[in-house]
Amino acid sequence: MDSIKYIILGGLAIVSYLLLLAWQADYPNVPQSAVSPAISQPESDIPVPSLNSGDTPSVATPAAPNPDIPVVPTASVVTTTQSASGNLINVRTDVLNLSIDPTGGDIVFASLPEFRTQIDVEDDPFVVLESGSLRTYVAQSGLIGRHGIDNNARPVYSPTQDSYTMVEGDNSLVVSLNYTDANGVQVVKRYHFERGSYLINVEYEVNNLSSTPWQANLFGQIKRSNFADPSQSSGFGMASFLGFATTSPDDPYDKVSFGDIDGGRSSIEMNGGWIAFSQHYFLSAWIPSEGSTNSFTLRKNNLNEYIGGFTSTEFVVAPQSTSTQSAQFYVGPKDQYSLREISSNLDLTIDYGWLWFVASPIYWLLTKINSFVGNYGVSILLLTLCVKAIFYKLSATSYRSMANMRRVMPKMAQLKERYGDDKMKLQKATMELYQKEKINPFGGCLPMLVQMPVFIALYWVLMESVELRHAPFMLWIDDLSVMDPFFVLPLLMGASMYAQSLLSPAPADPMQAKIMRFMPVAMTVFFLWFPAGLVLYWLANSVLGIAQQWYITHKIDAEYAAKEAKNH
């Protein structure tokens, strides 16, 4: 009968596994498309400067947008596409593919050649910025205020050429856009790119050829519609933050969701600072000059597009003289150490939550290990070994307590038979037994609780680290940032947890014993959709735990047997 029961259970397990694979194939995780906004007369997207030294002039609302503005291509090859004013200006560096609209000189498309959209599709770089009928995510900048050229309508710049490419051997690339206003004031908007860098320097050179002073404010902003995060990995669990973020003297990292903007947000004024839009693995951010007092605002227009940006203090260009204003724009991966060098607190956009003080050293150790081994799967295994070594003494205390509890289980069973249903006497006799055998019944719990923050911090490290995106391990595990497609790692993890439970003493209460036996099954289901890197850590941790627990249990049994032999 037992053999038949096991055959049936094994068959059910195989069928369940096949059904799970079929369900995953039929219902893959696909990001939801954004709903196309209704076409209506938009309110002005250009901010009104609030830091002028003189009176602030009124800013006219721009004309309605051209409904024939095309969708910026999202393919790997950025072709020349017509904009409202002419051809888009295409820019290629070693790490960026950009499209700049001559109207306003805004960045309306940005893809990252170093990061694929899908791991198995070549020449398909991940798109961060785009402008189309379903999605809007662009970086705008300009000059507003008393004589600003972006006040009533966006200026139409004249580029020196339609496309720019950073050729092999060049370490920098400059894109120049030219504009002359009605008074003969010449404005040159320059984009400076550096090899291997996602940080762009945006510079405005104003040549005032008139006979009166020329005054304006520099602004930069990120405009995005509310569509789903295209870089969010599939799976259950906590999702990475999607929304705007900024910094202030009172709060070094202030997350602002779309809902927060709907409720209204007051502006922040500070020297320097930054404003960013954060999604899973990738970031865009404006970083104005440290020497300027900047006003940071967040708002929504009537096309349901969300805008976060800055406006700098007014600058003055004397007659027959030239002045330069600049800001930096970042669009690229969340590289913790690169962002830290760009601006203070910008690295906090890699959000490890309240356990950042535990997660940061774990991330440091993981990257250091990987610099030697070159495989993040192997690095996770070695990291697990390091964490296990750090907690060896603490784990040994827990396993020793479990082993002693297991050793006295026969005596516990005798006490139950002796006192039957008299729970008071049974409890008293049990505590006397613990004191006699020098056993702490809670000694196995505390060490495990101490290690939980490390596990949670590691979860955030593995989820937030862009280095693990599309990072292969071995065999079928070609991306440690997403779930195991065949669920092999979760099933092995569940089996290891079950094996570990067999080495632990069963709870005295039958109901608790059943719950503990069911825990490996529940955890396996819970981990099915977790990132493969995290499941790999938990599996390695369980296997090392089994080895350590088996060693300590046999060592204690041998010591007790020797002690008993000596007494007799």
Side-chain angles (χ1 to χ4, degrees):
M1 291 297 293
D2 287 342
S3 60
I4 295 176
K5 179 178 71 173
Y6 290 135
I7 291 173
I8 293 174
L9 289 175
L12 287 174
I14 294 172
V15 171
S16 300
Y17 175 69
L18 294 176
L19 287 174
L20 189 60
L21 291 178
W23 179 86
Q24 180 61 26
D26 292 338
Y27 301 99
N29 187 68
V30 179
Q32 297 179 352
S33 299
V35 179
S36 178
I39 298 176
S40 62
Q41 178 77 15
E43 58 192 33
S44 175
D45 289 338
I46 308 303
V48 176
S50 59
L51 298 171
N52 289 350
S53 57
D55 296 333
T56 303
S58 60
V59 179
T61 301
N66 185 347
D68 296 328
I69 293 176
V71 177
V72 178
T74 58
S76 58
V77 178
V78 184
T79 58
T80 302
T81 307
Q82 287 292 117
S83 73
S85 57
N87 292 336
L88 293 177
I89 305 158
N90 299 309
V91 182
R92 293 176 178 275
T93 74
D94 58 326
V95 295
L96 288 171
N97 291 335
L98 301 180
S99 291
I100 300 173
D101 191 340
T103 301
D106 300 329
I107 302 176
V108 295
F109 176 84
S111 66
L112 312 176
E114 298 292 313
F115 297 88
R116 297 180 183 179
T117 301
Q118 302 177 66
I119 190 172
D120 55 349
V121 180
E122 295 185 4
D123 299 325
D124 184 22
F126 184 82
V127 175
V128 182
L129 304 183
E130 55 185 311
S131 179
S133 59
L134 297 180
R135 295 179 177 180
T136 298
Y137 184 9
V138 297
Q140 301 175 308
S141 59
L143 300 173
I144 55 174
R146 187 177 297 274
H147 301 112
I149 60 176
D150 289 271
N151 282 340
N152 298 320
R154 304 304 302 282
V156 179
Y157 289 94
S158 298
T160 55
Q161 57 193 71
D162 290 335
S163 63
Y164 297 79
T165 301
M166 181 180 288
V167 299
E168 196 70 30
D170 287 349
N171 292 321
S172 62
L173 177 67
V174 178
V175 176
S176 296
L177 311 176
N178 303 291
Y179 177 79
T180 302
D181 71 3
N183 298 319
V185 176
Q186 298 175 349
V187 177
V188 181
K189 184 175 185 178
R190 294 192 183 94
Y191 285 96
H192 295 261
F193 302 90
E194 299 293 333
R195 179 170 293 277
S197 176
Y198 298 93
L199 185 65
I200 307 166
N201 191 63
V202 184
E203 177 185 83
Y204 282 87
E205 180 184 288
V206 180
N207 185 12
N208 184 10
L209 300 177
S210 68
S211 58
T212 59
W214 192 91
Q215 304 173 37
N217 302 71
L218 172 65
F219 83 91
Q221 63 186 28
I222 298 166
K223 181 169 70 174
R224 189 186 191 276
S225 54
N226 186 3
F227 58 88
D229 188 345
S231 55
Q232 181 66 52
S233 300
S234 62
F236 295 155
M238 297 172 282
S240 185
F241 172 70
L242 178 71
F244 288 91
T246 187
T247 188
S248 70
D250 298 327
D251 189 349
Y253 176 50
D254 182 16
K255 296 189 291 186
V256 186
S257 66
F258 293 126
D260 293 333
I261 299 176
D262 291 337
R265 294 280 300 188
S266 59
S267 62
I268 299 172
E269 294 185 7
M270 63 178 295
N271 291 331
W274 49 265
I275 191 162
F277 189 87
S278 177
Q279 65 187 64
H280 197 200
Y281 296 130
F282 302 102
L283 184 80
S284 64
W286 277 107
I287 306 100
S289 171
E290 291 283 347
S292 174
T293 301
N294 307 295
S295 176
F296 296 90
T297 58
L298 291 151
R299 62 194 189 280
K300 183 173 75 170
N301 64 19
N302 63 351
L303 292 183
N304 292 322
E305 296 169 333
Y306 294 84
I307 301 170
F310 75 92
T311 304
S312 296
T313 48
E314 188 179 65
F315 66 96
V316 180
V317 185
Q320 305 301 314
S321 65
T322 302
S323 178
T324 301
Q325 299 290 315
S326 64
Q328 293 177 308
F329 180 69
Y330 181 89
V331 55
K334 290 182 179 178
D335 186 313
Q336 180 171 321
Y337 299 122
S338 295
L339 295 178
R340 183 179 299 171
E341 294 176 0
I342 293 172
S343 184
S344 178
N345 301 321
L346 188 57
D347 60 311
L348 297 180
T349 53
I350 305 171
D351 190 1
Y352 293 143
W354 62 276
L355 287 171
W356 59 268
F357 57 93
V358 180
S360 293
I362 289 177
Y363 171 80
W364 176 86
L365 182 58
L366 179 64
T367 54
K368 287 296 182 184
I369 294 173
N370 191 70
S371 65
F372 291 101
V373 300
N375 182 304
Y376 271 103
V378 177
S379 299
I380 290 172
L381 295 177
L382 294 177
L383 175 67
T384 309
L385 189 61
C386 292
V387 172
K388 204 68 179 175
I390 293 172
F391 287 102
Y392 179 82
K393 288 292 185 183
L394 200 60
S395 299
T397 302
S398 174
Y399 295 144
R400 183 174 292 273
S401 176
M402 291 181 182
N404 285 324
M405 288 284 291
R406 186 180 181 87
R407 179 174 53 81
V408 299
M409 288 300 292
K411 296 181 179 180
M412 293 279 294
Q414 293 175 3
L415 292 178
K416 287 182 182 179
E417 293 179 1
R418 182 181 304 172
Y419 295 106
D421 296 331
D422 194 338
K423 293 185 178 180
M424 293 295 293
K425 290 184 177 180
L426 176 61
Q427 185 176 8
K428 182 180 179 182
T430 301
M431 295 307 296
E432 290 175 352
L433 176 63
Y434 287 156
Q435 291 177 0
K436 178 182 177 183
E437 299 290 342
K438 298 180 180 180
I439 295 175
N440 180 3
F442 302 104
C445 301
L446 183 59
M448 301 300 293
L449 292 176
V450 171
Q451 296 180 59
M452 284 307 296
V454 176
F455 171 73
I456 297 173
L458 185 64
Y459 172 90
W460 283 108
V461 168
L462 297 181
M463 190 179 78
E464 287 290 310
S465 298
V466 69
E467 293 86 353
L468 265 70
R469 184 180 186 270
H470 294 176
F473 174 39
M474 59 184 296
L475 300 177
W476 67 93
I477 305 296
D478 55 5
D479 188 352
L480 289 166
S481 68
V482 299
M483 52 179 261
D484 181 343
F486 301 112
F487 307 105
V488 174
L489 287 180
L491 293 175
L492 290 176
M493 186 213 69
S496 67
M497 288 187 66
Y498 180 75
Q500 197 167 16
S501 69
L502 296 178
L503 296 175
S504 304
D509 182 58
M511 182 58 68
Q512 291 183 15
K514 290 181 180 179
I515 293 174
M516 292 303 295
R517 290 291 181 261
F518 181 72
M519 279 298 293
V521 177
M523 291 294 289
T524 300
V525 174
F526 190 62
F527 271 70
L528 285 176
W529 290 271
F530 265 47
L534 186 70
V535 184
L536 179 63
Y537 164 79
W538 197 255
L539 172 61
N541 188 68
S542 295
V543 172
L544 290 174
I546 290 172
Q548 186 180 3
Q549 190 171 355
W550 179 86
Y551 170 74
I552 291 175
T553 300
H554 278 257
K555 183 179 179 181
I556 290 177
D557 289 344
E559 291 174 353
Y560 183 75
K563 181 179 178 181
E564 288 291 311
K566 184 178 180 180
N567 291 336
H568 290 83

